Amino acid sequence: MAKIRVAIVGVGNCASSLVQGVAYYRAANDNSAGLMHWSLGGFEPSDVEFVLAYDIDERKVGQDLSRAIFAKPNCTAVFAEVPDSGLNVRMGKVLDGMADHMETMPAERSFVKAKAAEPDKAAVIEALRASGTEVLINFLPVGSEDAVKFYMDCALKAGVGVVNCMPVFIASDPEWEAKFKDAGLPIVGDDIKAQFGATIVHRALTNLMRQRGVRMDRTYQLNTGGNTDFLNMMDRGRLLSKKISKTEAVQSVMAKRLEDENIHVGPSDYVPWLNDNKLCFLRLEGALFGNVPMNIEVRLSVEDSPNSAGVVIDAIRCCKLALDRGYAGPLIGPSAFFCKHPPIQFTDDEAERMTNAFIDRASRPGANQSLVRAADANPDAAASGTGMQGLIIAAGQGIRMRDVARSKPLALINGVPLIERVIVTAHKAGVSRFVVVTGYEGKRLETFLVGLSARLSIPIQTVRNFAWKGANGLSVAAAEAHLDDRFVLMMADHLLDPTILADLIASEAGTEELVLAVDRRLGNPLVDLEDVTRVAIDEHGRIARIGKLMSGHDAYDTGVFLASKALIAAIREDVEAGGQGGLSDGVRSLAAKGLARTFDIGDRFWLDVDDGVAHGHAEQLCA
């Protein structure tokens, strides 16, 4: 297998553990402990090759990397012999990479700034290119905003992928996200999680409380350590992004966000004799059945830097896979799984499934960006913004799917979010641009759709329905100002054969006429008879009646419509008349005027993914 050529910025404890780990697994060939993946996309840990390294400490600059990783103030565990690499550590750019108070601390504990000349941007870019670096690992100290951005610029100009291990927000910042996409380069970030550390344990317990219906009232995470990371963070002014990163990592898996005064997550104190050992103290308080109080306290002791290296080794290999396959911008699944502050937060179970799906897709022979670029199916329409417009309703809470995912549109079907499958299918059928109506978990879904739009090169506009608890027709009405006179209406939780949509779009319809795709197979085993909307059809193929649990029906509503703004007018009329404004109410109104007919899908596939059983069917049928 080809090597992965890696550059390190910051030869501290984390770099020491990573370099030692590569040497350890190369010598021992031991996959029994410490790795989430022995082979990831065909790359083993020993395939990582360090080709460039930067630091600013005089005890490291000019030294072979194999010796620099053990030089003071590094204090992490020594668990492997590292042979000479032939790679000398270079003087880096300081900027704000060294906090002022570090100069007043004992030299064996702190940084000693080297006297060598600092490189400019052109020199770093040239070094990255000359070394053949493919992936740059950012291990700079917390609070190094200017220094991080310096090296990010260098990576972009040198054509290098990035793993951002610290909490200066790059992958999760829309401006930097766009820069990496425009450059055609992948990034994994921001702020690496530990393999089994304070934040991952805190998230797991928080998620468990949510899953088991235990209300979270307040929580804290207190961390102490004796390495340079904790010494650096004695300057509280450098902690803002770190606290945001760690706090958001925990808040994001809660059933309901806590007020600031009820959650404290962050570094707490520097205890020199702990060295690289990190002590974490967790407390979670809440209420059980009957509002009966409960609490749990945890004490966790870990060697900090090897704990992060066990995650970085996978992030490097995912970044390399992305480079090889032409993926650009933040890697959504891997960033969520490996990092505390990714562009989009997911539960760790969701993020793991997405990461494994990414690895599987990117590892296939001949895989490239076209695997996920549905725009390739209809590039002219996507580029011009012309063609059929699609409206997708994605505002509901999806209570029956809560065991599968917090947000039903983002529920994974074999690693791919449900709404992504809906959009890709519709695009293949000729829908060139989309309006998605969000509501419950709106911000999270909207953030995902922004990334999806850029990744697939498909225009996706979002509209928030703040009345999402109401009838589904209100979501259709909420999008009115953004819709063409004629559009395809779809549900975010319905999967179907793309030819159904293609044929529906090609069907002839009057200016105000609605056409509903229906399934006449009343014995279809995939249909949930307690939930499906039923349709009675007259001899001319028009809708006579429509509703749930209705008798005397001829077909099932598949949730796919060729519609016009006449539907919205009908929904509004229903509300004005005292109705709920449901989609079926609008259809009934049009049907009464002879403006609603059906389109028979024949024996083609469709599935309403509305509960855990249907989700299981979807995973089998979409394998």
Side-chain angles (χ1 to χ4, degrees):
M1 197 77 183
K3 297 294 184 181
I4 308 173
R5 300 174 67 82
V6 172
I8 295 174
V9 177
V11 187
N13 285 308
C14 290
S16 177
S17 293
L18 178 63
V19 175
Q20 287 188 69
V22 171
Y24 173 85
Y25 288 106
R26 179 177 291 132
N29 195 29
D30 176 14
N31 63 356
S32 63
L35 291 168
M36 292 182 284
H37 299 88
W38 172 256
S39 177
L40 192 157
F43 292 103
E44 297 181 358
S46 59
D47 291 321
V48 173
E49 179 182 17
F50 301 102
V51 296
L52 188 64
Y54 285 100
D55 202 274
I56 57 94
D57 195 290
E58 69 174 11
R59 293 159 292 187
K60 299 174 184 177
V61 174
Q63 294 294 315
D64 189 276
L65 181 64
S66 63
R67 293 185 292 277
I69 60 173
F70 300 120
K72 293 294 183 180
N74 289 5
C75 58
T76 192
V78 177
F79 59 89
E81 292 185 9
V82 180
D84 282 356
S85 65
L87 169 64
N88 289 344
V89 176
R90 302 189 184 204
M91 179 63 185
K93 192 76 170 176
V94 179
L95 296 170
D96 57 355
M98 180 173 173
D100 293 340
H101 75 280
M102 299 290 278
E103 295 185 81
T104 66
M105 298 294 171
E108 66 174 11
R109 293 283 179 184
S110 183
F111 303 139
V112 178
K113 183 179 173 182
K115 298 179 177 61
E118 297 179 31
D120 59 14
K121 194 170 292 185
V124 175
I125 293 168
E126 175 55 31
L128 289 168
R129 289 172 174 166
S131 63
T133 295
E134 296 170 292
V135 179
L136 182 146
I137 311 299
N138 174 29
F139 282 135
L140 285 171
V142 171
S144 306
E145 296 273 341
D146 294 338
V148 169
K149 291 173 182 177
F150 171 87
Y151 284 104
M152 294 302 104
D153 271 334
C154 293
L156 286 167
K157 290 181 172 61
V160 171
V162 168
V163 176
N164 181 30
C165 298
M166 49 85 66
V168 169
F169 301 145
I170 302 297
S172 55
D173 180 283
E175 183 177 342
W176 282 98
E177 177 183 350
K179 289 181 180 180
F180 274 87
K181 285 177 180 173
D182 291 345
L185 296 169
I187 178 170
V188 177
D190 300 308
D191 195 10
I192 208 77
K193 289 175 185 172
Q195 191 172 11
F196 200 90
T199 298
I200 199 70
V201 172
H202 203 165
R203 280 172 60 95
L205 290 172
T206 300
N207 190 51
L208 182 62
M209 289 178 70
R210 178 186 63 79
Q211 290 175 327
R212 306 301 291 179
V214 180
R215 187 187 71 223
M216 172 85 81
D217 292 330
R218 58 190 65 88
T219 186
Y220 66 62
Q221 179 193 130
L222 308 177
N223 299 305
T224 63
N227 58 27
T228 49
D229 191 32
F230 281 90
L231 179 60
N232 169 66
M233 289 187 291
M234 288 180 67
D235 179 352
R236 296 298 177 182
R238 299 174 73 89
L239 276 181
L240 178 60
S241 62
K242 185 69 173 179
K243 283 188 66 64
I244 291 172
S245 178
K246 289 176 72 69
T247 302
E248 186 59 30
V250 177
Q251 288 270 35
S252 67
V253 293
M254 290 183 179
K256 182 179 179 181
R257 295 178 69 89
L258 295 178
E259 297 295 331
D260 290 346
E261 66 181 23
N262 290 326
I263 181 170
H264 176 88
V265 182
S268 302
D269 213 343
Y270 170 65
V271 182
W273 59 265
L274 287 175
N275 290 319
D276 198 39
N277 183 247
K278 178 178 179 178
L279 288 181
C280 163
F281 302 90
L282 297 176
R283 181 178 175 88
L284 299 89
E285 298 181 2
L288 300 163
F289 183 75
N291 204 33
V292 176
M294 60 76 64
N295 69 76
I296 182 172
E297 293 192 353
V298 176
R299 178 186 183 275
L300 175 67
S301 174
V302 293
E303 195 74 5
D304 201 21
S305 300
N307 212 357
S308 74
V311 179
V312 176
I313 194 71
D314 279 15
I316 291 170
R317 291 183 284 176
C318 281
C319 195
K320 168 62 173 173
L321 280 179
L323 278 169
D324 287 349
R325 306 311 182 206
Y327 300 155
L331 304 184
I332 299 300
S335 291
F337 190 45
F338 300 141
C339 298
K340 300 184 185 80
H341 197 272
I344 309 171
Q345 290 279 10
F346 294 90
T347 66
D348 293 297
D349 287 342
E350 290 174 313
E352 181 188 25
R353 286 195 293 268
M354 292 175 72
T355 299
N356 288 334
F358 164 81
I359 294 168
D360 179 62
R361 286 197 307 270
S363 302
R364 294 172 190 163
N368 56 41
Q369 184 73 343
S370 64
L371 283 170
V372 294
R373 286 182 60 89
D376 293 344
N378 194 357
D380 294 335
S384 66
T386 61
M388 180 58 70
Q389 183 184 46
L391 171 62
I392 299 176
I393 297 175
Q397 188 170 0
I399 294 174
R400 298 172 70 200
M401 282 280 284
R402 288 305 297 273
D403 288 343
V404 177
R406 278 170 52 192
S407 170
K408 181 162 67 169
L410 295 175
L412 298 177
I413 308 296
N414 293 328
V416 180
L418 180 53
I419 195 167
E420 180 173 343
R421 288 186 178 273
V422 171
I423 289 172
V424 168
T425 296
H427 193 272
K428 288 178 179 177
V431 180
S432 64
R433 50 210 164 85
F434 295 84
V435 176
V436 179
V437 181
T438 68
Y440 177 74
E441 290 273 321
K443 184 176 180 181
R444 187 163 178 253
L445 178 56
E446 288 157 11
T447 302
F448 172 79
L449 291 170
V450 168
L452 183 68
S453 176
R455 175 158 57 89
L456 303 186
S457 299
I458 299 175
I460 303 173
Q461 183 178 9
T462 61
V463 177
R464 184 77 66 88
N465 173 18
F466 292 97
W468 57 265
K469 291 184 179 180
N472 57 359
L474 301 180
S475 289
V476 180
E480 182 175 16
H482 307 280
L483 295 174
D484 297 341
D485 290 336
R486 184 160 291 282
F487 54 90
V488 173
L489 171 60
M490 297 164 286
M491 309 297 118
D493 55 357
H494 284 209
L495 299 174
L496 71 156
D497 185 326
T499 64
I500 295 173
L501 264 177
D503 289 347
L504 181 64
I505 292 169
S507 65
E508 295 182 3
T511 304
E512 295 187 341
E513 191 174 29
L514 174 141
V515 184
L516 168 61
V518 297
D519 182 0
R520 285 182 171 268
R521 296 167 295 176
L522 299 185
N524 186 343
L526 296 178
V527 171
D528 181 351
L529 297 179
E530 299 300 316
D531 186 62
V532 69
T533 297
R534 306 177 184 195
V535 184
I537 306 170
D538 69 14
E539 65 273 19
H540 303 293
R542 288 191 290 261
I543 296 175
R545 292 179 296 122
I546 184 169
K548 292 182 183 290
L549 300 178
M550 186 180 73
S551 60
H553 58 284
D554 305 289
Y556 300 126
D557 171 358
T558 67
V560 183
F561 304 77
L562 182 62
S564 72
K565 289 188 176 179
L567 173 62
I568 297 174
I571 291 169
R572 295 195 186 282
E573 288 171 5
D574 180 72
V575 173
E576 290 168 3
Q580 298 297 312
L583 180 53
S584 292
D585 295 317
V587 174
R588 274 191 287 270
S589 178
L590 291 177
K593 301 173 185 178
L595 294 175
R597 64 179 175 85
T598 60
F599 167 79
D600 185 357
I601 68 168
D603 61 357
R604 289 177 284 190
F605 162 76
W606 75 283
L607 176 66
D608 178 1
V609 188
D610 199 44
D611 59 16
V613 173
H615 179 265
H617 290 321
E619 293 226 305
Q620 291 178 356
L621 295 166
C622 297

